[in-house]
Amino acid sequence: MRLLLVEDNVPLADELIAGLQRQGYAVDWLADGRDAVYQGQSEPYDLIILDLGLPGLPGLDVLAQWRAAGLATPVLVLTARGSWAERIEGLKAGADDYLSKPFHPEELQLRIQALLRRARGLANQPTLEAAGLHLDESRQCVSRDGVDIQLTAAEFRLLRYFMLHPQQILSKSHLAEHLYDGETERDSNVLEVHVNHLRRKLGRSVIETRRGQGYIYAGSVA
Amino acid sequence: MKSIQARLSLGLVAVLVVVGVVLAQLTLWLFEAGLQRYLENGLRKESENLLVALVRGPSGLQLDERRISAAYQRPFSGYYFRIDFDQGTWRSRSLWDLDMPKPAAPGLSDSHELGPEGQQLLALRADYRRLGQDISISVAQDYSPVREGFRRMQQIGLGMGLVALILVLVLQRVTVKRSLRPLERARQQIAQLQQGQRSQLDAEVPVELAPLVGQINHLLSHTEDSLRRSRNALGNLGHALKTPLAVLLSLASSARLEGLPDVREQMRAQLEHIQQRLARELNRARLAGDALPGAQFDCDAELPGLLSTLGMIHGEGLLLERDVPPGLLLPWDREDVLELLGNLLDNACKWADCEVRLGIAPSDGGYRLWVDDDGPGIPESQRLQVLERGSRLDEQVDGHGLGLGIVRDIVEAWGGQLALLQSPLGGLRVSIDLPRRVR
């Protein structure tokens, strides 16, 4: 899952990025509203966290420009101005959720999880469930038939992306774009290694290879 | 305070009556004086004629009957004389058997004497000396017709004066009404202002009214400006404090403090405390209260946005219904009402299983708002306690615990009543009675 964080307060951004990376998200960070307008549209983000008080261009205008350009990525608005009047304005401008500062980091993580699942049309449950596997995002482990299986951070990221896009062919380049932030070197061999690790832990049939097209998540129903 | 119209009418009537009566009386008096002078000339000529008619006869003085006018012969003809001299008094035949008193002094005497047939006489006495004797000749003329004429003239004048007065009053009323129309319009606009149908008075007014309207408008915009300024300042302060607070909260739960669980707990608790205090005080301070007379909340325009926002926040599974009469306007500031309803509904949504219902209705002397949910509710024994603590109703669901506290602050600022009841949906009903604003 690749997120864009638009926040001008550097200490807060540092904290948020660290927290989000621990949760297995790839995070790109911008501090200026004008940059955000461009980059939000040019990169394939799965979710955008947008602060409203931005230099360059106010957050609400950034959001309005994205929505006017047809960007459908879920946007979580972050603001110090938490009155209901402003909240309604934000959601009218096209925000998908609203979190007012200050907030607990866990609250932000829960909202992000909920938004990502809602965007994929999945029910908001404590664990992510797809085709026989239950992924516990807070503990970063997967369970099958009640048996917990530990995952590394990279495996967790990969499996979560697969489970959020079940029955969908995902090419290597697509996966690389959504699993790594803009500054990480993208090496498709690394992906293959992680897919193999997952297969070893969860069984060969969990992820099928479609030659020339990419991978598809099949789960452990078989 | 009497109306300007009545005061103007009274003043005008007083002036018109005084001036009219004085003027009419003066005119009559001058006219009468002129007329009397004219008649006096005639009478003097008459008396001189009579003097000439006095001749020396065989037995002293004698009146030459041929030389005097026939009017003196006909009884009660309206022309009379008497001649007093040493030997006696002669009276004209026209006096018949009545006596005409001799005026006390020579000259014109103003018709005081009552003559025969109730005639009023204008008499002239002239004293002469002829044929060696003092002779006093009094000539009188019936003055009643002239008096009659004057009285009639007075009556006609009075009638015409009355008609003119009524006419003037009517015209004055029309004029005053027309010139006071801008004042009436301003009054209506102020009423609209209070009902929240406009935010400024129309500046197109006559010169006399312009300073007043200008002042009112200035005051209104000044109040609005300072409210907006202070809200902005509060928002800025909030922003300035909240972002560092968010950093601290994030730090407090970061892995770096893993080794110091005590410090971590302490920090979290204190930060939480600051956060709640800050949020509540900021909200309390930014309440507009009654500062703006034109404030109003349009239920039809605002509620759908609020409900869809809540629906978005709390997920699609929740049924959000409203039971609000169409076209209802609440006389409070939009942001304050949104804050109140938002917090109430948010609280209800956190607890509800699948249904939340908002009702607003005008009641005697105010409005009643209620929010129902089908959640677990609060046992009756605990309701008072919850209200007194006023805040942490939603402790388990969200980290805020502020919802009802803020609601209570707003309701108190508006002088309303908050009550927790059993909802017909099964959960909690928060019912709020708000009094209509007293202006």
Side-chain angles (χ1 to χ4, degrees):
Chain A
M1 294 283 113
R2 187 170 167 201
L3 312 185
L4 175 63
L5 172 68
V6 191
E7 162 68 61
D8 62 316
N9 185 289
V10 180
L12 181 62
D14 283 346
E15 282 299 319
L16 291 181
I17 291 169
L20 290 171
Q21 280 171 346
R22 269 200 307 280
Q23 296 294 310
Y25 297 106
V27 185
D28 288 345
W29 171 47
L30 291 175
D32 190 289
R34 286 162 296 194
D35 300 342
V37 172
Y38 169 75
Q39 194 163 331
Q41 292 175 65
S42 59
E43 295 288 319
Y45 291 109
D46 296 294
L47 185 131
I48 298 174
I49 302 168
L50 177 68
D51 182 43
L52 287 192
L54 288 176
L57 195 64
L60 273 185
D61 293 358
V62 174
L63 180 57
Q65 290 195 24
W66 280 339
R67 294 305 187 216
L71 184 78
T73 313
V75 173
L76 172 65
V77 162
L78 218 53
T79 177
R81 296 169 194 267
S83 82
W84 277 91
E86 284 153 328
R87 221 178 275 206
I88 291 168
E89 253 167 60
L91 292 170
K92 270 187 187 156
D96 295 274
D97 203 352
Y98 206 93
L99 192 58
S100 44
K101 291 180 191 172
F103 48 84
H104 284 281
E106 301 90 40
E107 174 82 11
L108 177 65
Q109 279 143 23
L110 286 175
R111 299 283 183 102
I112 291 173
Q113 271 179 27
L115 263 187
L116 285 173
R117 291 187 202 180
R118 204 162 79 200
R120 311 252 28 108
L122 300 174
N124 194 5
Q125 288 162 339
T127 59
L128 177 59
E129 185 194 346
L133 290 179
H134 295 264
L135 187 70
D136 186 335
E137 289 180 73
S138 55
R139 292 191 297 135
Q140 302 201 359
C141 70
V142 69
S143 69
R144 183 175 52 189
D145 307 330
V147 182
D148 282 355
I149 299 161
Q150 291 302 320
L151 298 171
T152 66
E155 290 160 8
F156 167 72
R157 288 158 71 168
L158 185 58
L159 183 60
R160 175 168 63 188
Y161 197 83
F162 273 123
M163 287 177 76
L164 280 169
H165 303 82
Q167 311 299 329
Q168 214 173 313
I169 297 174
L170 304 169
S171 69
K172 278 187 199 164
S173 62
H174 178 97
L175 284 172
E177 268 184 341
H178 285 271
L179 290 177
Y180 302 111
D181 60 48
E183 278 149 34
T184 313
E185 185 99 15
R186 288 167 195 176
D187 182 356
S188 61
N189 290 333
V190 177
L191 264 179
E192 276 172 34
V193 171
H194 291 318
V195 167
N196 283 331
H197 284 172
L198 279 178
R199 280 177 176 157
R200 201 177 308 142
K201 285 184 177 175
L202 301 169
R204 286 219 67 79
S205 60
V206 162
I207 295 160
E208 292 172 6
T209 304
R210 295 285 163 91
R211 198 165 299 277
Q213 290 177 299
Y215 299 107
I216 185 166
Y217 173 77
S220 62
V221 263
Chain B
M1 199 71 176
K2 261 195 281 184
S3 84
I4 294 180
Q5 168 84 61
R7 217 179 279 194
L8 281 175
S9 297
L10 207 68
L12 196 68
V13 166
V15 167
L16 282 181
V17 165
V18 168
V19 169
V21 166
V22 166
L23 211 66
Q25 225 32 59
L26 200 71
T27 315
L28 278 180
W29 183 74
L30 283 175
F31 189 62
E32 194 173 359
L35 192 68
Q36 282 189 1
R37 227 180 345 269
Y38 171 74
L39 290 175
E40 186 188 351
N41 278 340
L43 286 173
R44 195 169 296 282
K45 212 165 276 163
E46 250 351 279
S47 73
E48 279 160 9
N49 280 345
L50 284 171
L51 189 67
V52 173
L54 280 178
V55 291
R56 194 184 297 273
S59 51
L61 280 175
Q62 212 177 347
L63 198 61
D64 188 353
E65 296 278 342
R66 287 164 307 172
R67 286 198 180 177
I68 56 175
S69 148
Y72 294 116
Q73 306 292 340
R74 207 169 63 246
F76 306 129
S77 63
Y79 295 89
Y80 313 99
F81 67 81
R82 69 177 281 165
I83 302 171
D84 298 271
F85 56 103
D86 294 346
Q87 281 83 26
T89 301
W90 288 341
R91 298 183 293 119
S92 65
R93 225 179 106 83
S94 56
L95 276 170
W96 209 243
D97 52 356
L98 286 170
D99 187 31
M100 185 181 96
K102 177 184 172 191
L108 195 69
S109 74
D110 196 1
S111 64
H112 297 302
E113 297 127 280
L114 267 172
E117 292 190 336
Q119 292 174 345
Q120 287 200 322
L121 303 183
L122 184 71
L124 178 83
R125 174 181 150 190
D127 293 348
Y128 303 99
R129 187 168 178 83
R130 174 144 189 195
L131 305 173
Q133 284 193 54
D134 285 329
I135 300 165
S136 164
I137 301 176
S138 302
V139 192
Q141 188 180 346
D142 182 10
Y143 194 53
S144 316
V146 178
R147 266 286 143 90
E148 203 60 36
F150 271 119
R151 189 155 307 127
R152 190 157 305 128
M153 225 153 82
Q154 241 169 349
Q155 281 166 352
I156 291 173
L158 196 69
M160 271 168 52
L162 270 178
V163 169
L165 198 65
I166 290 170
L167 200 71
V168 166
L169 273 182
V170 168
L171 286 178
Q172 180 253 12
R173 206 175 178 83
V174 170
T175 316
V176 169
K177 200 158 214 139
R178 183 163 302 176
S179 45
L180 286 188
R181 199 171 291 155
L183 212 61
E184 172 64 15
R185 205 166 47 228
R187 195 191 62 71
Q188 284 172 355
Q189 290 187 357
I190 290 177
Q192 289 175 345
L193 199 75
Q194 288 176 338
Q195 285 156 14
Q197 289 163 4
R198 58 165 62 229
S199 59
Q200 290 268 299
L201 297 183
D202 200 352
E204 293 285 312
V205 289
V207 192
E208 293 86 346
L209 218 53
L212 191 69
V213 167
Q215 273 302 321
I216 293 179
N217 278 342
H218 175 72
L219 242 142
L220 281 172
S221 60
H222 177 77
T223 315
E224 207 176 334
D225 265 8
S226 46
L227 189 68
R228 192 179 304 125
R229 253 202 308 278
S230 79
R231 279 186 167 184
N232 271 342
L234 278 169
N236 290 338
L237 175 70
H239 188 78
L241 290 179
K242 281 170 174 176
T243 306
L245 209 54
V247 177
L248 284 177
L249 266 175
S250 185
L251 259 175
S253 49
S254 81
R256 272 170 277 178
L257 284 176
E258 214 118 84
L260 302 164
D262 290 356
V263 176
R264 188 170 172 162
E265 263 327 292
Q266 194 71 351
M267 259 185 85
R268 283 185 82 136
Q270 292 305 315
L271 286 171
E272 186 107 340
H273 193 70
I274 294 176
Q275 174 197 345
Q276 282 190 14
R277 196 75 208 176
L278 182 71
R280 184 139 175 207
E281 293 304 327
L282 279 177
N283 266 300
R284 205 198 297 244
R286 66 198 298 287
L287 277 182
D290 292 340
L292 283 181
Q296 65 172 355
F297 178 82
D298 183 352
C299 291
D300 286 349
E302 305 290 349
L303 285 182
L306 177 63
L307 292 185
S308 64
T309 300
L310 281 156
M312 205 174 268
I313 291 172
H314 291 280
E316 309 295 329
L318 206 60
L319 181 66
L320 276 163
E321 288 285 349
R322 67 191 154 112
D323 178 14
V324 180
L328 185 65
L329 298 176
L330 300 180
W332 289 283
D333 181 72
R334 170 181 171 270
E335 291 192 18
D336 291 353
V337 178
L338 277 179
E339 202 60 33
L340 172 76
L341 293 178
N343 280 302
L344 267 182
L345 289 167
D346 193 43
N347 218 31
C349 286
K350 282 175 193 163
W351 287 95
D353 284 336
C354 58
E355 189 174 355
V356 170
R357 200 169 271 274
L358 164 71
I360 305 176
S363 63
D364 321 332
Y367 298 89
R368 167 165 290 178
L369 280 67
W370 63 94
V371 173
D372 287 316
D373 67 66
D374 59 350
I378 299 176
E380 208 167 337
S381 54
Q382 287 176 29
R383 283 182 196 150
L384 198 65
Q385 203 186 339
V386 166
L387 264 189
E388 273 168 5
R389 275 186 306 165
S391 50
R392 296 194 61 94
L393 243 191
D394 40 357
E395 200 163 19
Q396 296 152 13
V397 176
D398 201 354
H400 286 274
L402 280 168
L404 271 195
I406 291 168
V407 167
R408 227 177 46 152
D409 289 342
I410 297 175
V411 171
E412 266 170 21
W414 292 346
Q417 292 282 332
L418 179 75
L420 302 181
L421 306 168
Q422 177 68 39
S423 163
L425 295 180
L428 182 69
R429 162 176 285 189
V430 183
S431 171
I432 295 176
D433 280 307
L434 294 171
R436 217 174 284 277
R437 284 168 67 169
V438 184
R439 313 261 183 194

